[in-house]
Amino acid sequence: MKASNWKFDQAEYTIPKDTPVEIKLVNDEGAHGLQIKGAGVNLSNGKTSQIVTLAAGTYEMKCSIVCGTGHLNMTAKLIVQ
Ligand SMILES: [Cu+2]
C-alpha cells in the first residue's frame, strides 16, 4: 500500500482470507500511517510492515498519523476473501 498527500494508491485492496499476508506501507510523499480497524494493524513511527492472517470480511483502513489538511480523506477498504 502506498500513501501520498493525501491518499492511498488504491481505494480498495484485496487479499486472501486465512492466509498470512504482509501488509507494507510505503510513504511516497509526506508522513502517513496505516490503521486497519478490527485487524490489529497500526503502522507508524518507523514500523512499516506487519504480517496478518485475517478472516473474510471488509476492513476499514485509515491514516493513523495526523498528516495535514487531507488527513480525514485518507481512507480505503481492505477486502479479505
Ligand atoms: Cu494522516
Side-chain angles (χ1 to χ4, degrees), residues 4-8 32 60-76:
S4 60
N5 288 341
W6 277 273
K7 58 177 171 32
F8 293 106
H32 306 286
E60 300 291 329
M61 298 168 42
K62 63 175 188 175
C63 176
S64 59
I65 296 174
V66 178
C67 54
T69 53
H71 174 65
L72 291 175
N73 297 330
M74 291 194 66
T75 59

